[in-house]
Amino acid sequence: MATTAEEPAAQVAAEYRAFARQEARGRSAAYESLAESVAADAALVSYVCSLPEAKRQPNLLFAAARYLLGAAPGLPELRDLVSRSRAELTEVMLSHRTQTNEPARCATLLPALAQLPGPLALIEVGASAGLTLLVDTYSYDYAGHRLAGRDPLAPTLRCEPRGPVPLPEAVPEVVWRAGLDLNPLDVNDAADVRWLTCLVWPGEGDRQERLAAAVASARRDPPAVHRGDLLTDLPALAAQAPAGATLVVYHTSVLTYVAPGDRGRFFTAVGDLGAVWLSNEGPGVVPGIGSAAPEQSAHLLIRDGRTPLAHADSHGTWLRWLG
């Protein structure tokens, strides 16, 4: 049996291998290779184990290294950083979060939002810089089915529809929007935007260009992102939504970082609001909902905690509707 000291190391190594094989594979060859190398490197695993458990994610380590180095790290650069600048790296990891704000995720939410009676009032939980609050701002291309957003300079989000996706003819009308985040990022703050760029994985096509265009669009009409906790501050924010609009609360890749017991408290809080709730998370995050996808790292889009709507790529490149 493994000793107590060995168990965290084995767990960290397994998590980095899982990241390599289930998340980075097919997306970022550089991060797939780096995650496998970290898992096999005792010194790097030991460093990761020295961090609080909530700060051990590969995404966070690689982004923090990139933030300090100015470029995506390889194994030698990461080893050198841990050896020579351990305190500085640790400070960045402790003070930052994996707040990936991929605007293309809007393409996986849009068909569900467009089915709701308008106008809409939107609250995004875990909103980061608010780029996925701008659902009506972007234009869309679903394999030739195109929709124009309200900002002609905003990026066009491309998403492959699979199955009977109910593609709308127009973006929905949004009359109010607000985000909630423990650590909101500001699109007008250079350091915050640099952190967002560091969270983009190397080798993922045009994600960097899309992020830059989305940030430029958000700067023209900044969304309101409030500092707050999803467990305690959501009801007060929801009370600010205008009467007569359909209130929608949604989130993507957020609840996986929330303890299971606290997820239950959040589910209850959302249910008490009388809002439409769209959860776009990994399988198993919402209990009692099982719908396995053939694709790795697929998210499950669920309405009101009960009805699975679709499988979705975690970065918004495809959407498979269920039905």
Side-chain angles (χ1 to χ4, degrees):
M1 179 179 294
T3 67
T4 302
E6 291 171 338
E7 287 171 357
Q11 182 178 355
V12 164
E15 288 173 353
Y16 275 69
R17 291 190 187 97
F19 174 86
R21 300 168 190 182
Q22 299 173 17
E23 298 187 49
R25 182 167 294 172
R27 292 186 186 277
S28 174
Y31 276 3
E32 179 185 358
S33 174
L34 182 58
E36 290 278 11
S37 296
V38 170
D41 189 296
L44 290 176
V45 168
S46 177
Y47 169 70
V48 174
C49 288
S50 74
L51 300 166
E53 190 170 352
K55 295 290 184 176
R56 296 175 182 175
Q57 311 102 305
N59 276 351
L60 184 59
L61 174 62
F62 300 163
R66 187 171 187 172
Y67 190 81
L68 293 173
L69 294 169
L75 183 62
E77 292 82 9
L78 188 57
R79 281 174 169 165
D80 187 68
L81 195 61
V82 169
S83 174
R84 297 175 182 272
S85 304
R86 184 186 184 102
E88 190 177 9
L89 177 62
T90 299
E91 192 281 328
V92 173
M93 294 186 69
L94 294 180
S95 61
H96 289 73
R97 298 172 181 269
T98 50
Q99 294 175 279
T100 303
N101 205 187
E102 174 51 64
R105 289 169 173 166
C106 288
T108 64
L109 295 166
L110 184 70
L113 292 170
Q115 290 183 314
L116 302 175
L120 304 181
L122 306 179
I123 293 179
E124 184 183 13
V125 173
S128 186
L131 300 184
T132 40
L133 277 166
L134 305 177
V135 178
D136 56 329
T137 298
Y138 307 119
S139 294
Y140 298 85
D141 184 348
Y142 293 94
H145 182 94
R146 297 181 174 87
L147 296 85
R150 61 182 179 86
D151 181 359
L153 299 179
T156 295
L157 308 180
R158 293 172 173 82
C159 179
E160 177 192 346
R162 302 175 182 177
V165 180
L167 296 175
E169 294 303 318
V171 297
E173 179 187 5
V174 179
V175 294
W176 183 87
R177 74 194 80 220
L180 189 66
D181 200 285
L182 287 171
N183 182 42
L185 300 182
D186 183 354
V187 293
N188 290 303
D189 184 284
D192 283 355
V193 172
R194 185 158 70 94
W195 177 247
L196 286 177
T197 65
C198 289
L199 288 165
V200 175
W201 303 354
E204 282 201 284
D206 62 353
R207 278 189 70 196
Q208 287 284 10
E209 292 78 7
R210 185 167 61 238
L211 176 64
V215 167
S217 184
R219 284 173 171 168
R220 291 188 287 273
D221 188 11
V225 182
H226 303 271
R227 186 179 301 276
D229 191 310
L230 57 84
L231 295 176
T232 56
D233 299 310
L234 180 59
L237 184 58
Q240 300 177 30
T246 298
L247 177 61
V248 186
V249 177
Y250 64 97
H251 49 86
T252 299
S253 295
V254 170
L255 295 188
T256 188
Y257 299 109
V258 176
D262 288 337
R263 291 177 199 170
R265 292 173 56 201
F266 172 71
F267 300 157
T268 300
V270 174
D272 290 344
L273 293 177
V276 175
W277 170 29
L278 295 177
S279 170
N280 189 20
E281 302 280 350
V285 172
V286 176
I289 303 293
S291 184
E295 299 88 354
Q296 286 187 336
S297 298
H299 280 185
L300 186 58
L301 181 63
I302 302 169
R303 176 170 173 171
D304 298 328
R306 298 185 301 271
T307 307
L309 299 178
H311 292 126
D313 174 65
S314 60
H315 291 165
T317 62
W318 57 263
L319 178 66
R320 182 188 302 279
W321 208 257
L322 302 173

